[in-house]
Amino acid sequence: MIRPRVILADDHTLLLDAFRKLLMDECEVVAAVSDGRALLEATATLRPDVVVVDIAMPLLNGIDAARQIKQTLPDTRIIFLTMNEDPELAAEAFRAGGSGYILKRSAGSELLTAIREVTAGRFYMTPLVTEGVLGSMLQPRPPGRGDQLTARQREIVQLVAEGHSLKEVGTILNISPRTVAFHKSRIMDQLHISSTAELIQYAVAHHIV
């Protein structure tokens, strides 16, 4: 049997080690990374069959990272991990290209099953939130302020909300601090907010951080 090539992405080292041990008999774990940008680099180089990613990743959250991965590697299956039981978040994860969704508290018993399912071309969702997610997927999504933001704007919102300076954001995104400041100002105008504190609140409310 060909073992699926898997990349693990989580900012908790102990969890990465535990998942690697859990998967070692059935999967080839080709990389383990601790932030969303490292995940993009690893997937571009290693082209895994499956990515297991925490939604709440630093530098680039799991959902936005998944969107970028699926653009270049549409056949890579993505399984989301989270502590959040919000059905709408789960629905958004599937809209972003996810094939699996499990809660961290049940990952020990469900992760291998999820990988088997997604590598067979099926979807897997933890039974703990399935009913609510189906309801969210079937209901039209009300337009929100987050729908106004581009992928680059969401990246900037996350980095600013994480406390990075404009210079640091520019270095991470390979753009000038002046360009970052311009984007930040436009974002705040679009969202009708007037302070960095409000921008952080927005990022938290919309699961960007």
Side-chain angles (χ1 to χ4, degrees), residues 8 13 15 45 78 84 89 105 112 119 128 151 170 175 201 204:
L8 302 173
T13 303
L15 274 180
T45 302
I78 298 175
N84 194 321
L89 179 61
R105 62 186 172 95
L112 267 175
T119 53
L128 299 173
I175 58 179
Q201 291 173 355
V204 172

Side-chain angles (χ1 to χ4, degrees), residues 4-208:
R5 300 172 71 254
V6 178
I7 290 179
L8 302 173
D10 196 293
D11 59 336
H12 295 91
T13 303
L14 291 177
L15 274 180
L16 285 177
D17 291 342
F19 292 151
R20 189 192 293 271
K21 291 174 182 175
L22 176 67
L23 301 180
M24 61 187 301
D25 289 337
E26 290 193 28
C27 306
E28 180 186 357
V29 178
V30 295
V33 299
S34 58
D35 68 70
R37 300 209 162 269
L39 174 61
L40 293 184
E41 292 179 10
T43 53
T45 302
L46 298 170
R47 304 178 72 86
D49 301 304
V50 179
V51 169
V52 179
V53 58
D54 184 4
I55 287 180
M57 292 284 284
L59 301 186
L60 184 66
N61 66 72
I63 289 179
D64 286 336
R67 289 192 179 101
Q68 294 192 36
I69 291 168
K70 294 297 284 188
Q71 286 178 357
T72 56
L73 297 171
D75 292 333
T76 294
R77 306 298 181 183
I78 298 175
I79 297 172
F80 289 103
L81 288 169
T82 183
M83 293 187 291
N84 194 321
E85 299 184 29
D86 180 1
E88 180 52 41
L89 179 61
E92 187 63 28
F94 281 100
R95 293 187 190 108
S99 294
Y101 188 93
I102 57 180
L103 298 179
K104 285 190 174 184
R105 62 186 172 95
S106 61
S109 60
E110 293 187 63
L111 183 54
L112 267 175
T113 301
I115 290 175
R116 292 175 192 138
E117 288 294 299
V118 303
T119 53
R122 296 184 288 268
F123 291 86
Y124 182 85
M125 187 188 306
T126 178
L128 299 173
V129 295
T130 299
E131 184 176 347
V133 175
L134 290 174
S136 294
M137 293 290 282
L138 292 171
Q139 291 294 324
R141 183 172 53 163
R145 293 187 299 171
D147 296 333
Q148 303 175 40
L149 299 185
T150 65
R152 174 46 57 94
Q153 288 176 326
R154 286 176 62 88
E155 290 175 337
I156 289 171
V157 169
Q158 175 168 353
L159 292 169
V160 169
E162 289 177 349
H164 296 281
S165 68
L166 298 184
K167 183 177 180 180
E168 290 169 340
V169 174
T171 298
I172 292 167
L173 298 179
N174 197 29
I175 58 179
S176 71
R178 178 174 293 185
T179 301
V180 176
F182 171 76
H183 278 300
K184 182 183 176 186
S185 176
R186 284 203 62 185
I187 291 165
M188 293 174 70
D189 285 345
Q190 285 177 231
L191 301 179
H192 306 295
I193 58 180
S194 57
S195 68
T196 299
E198 286 183 90
L199 192 63
I200 294 170
Q201 291 173 355
Y202 169 87
V204 172
H206 289 80
H207 305 294
I208 296 175

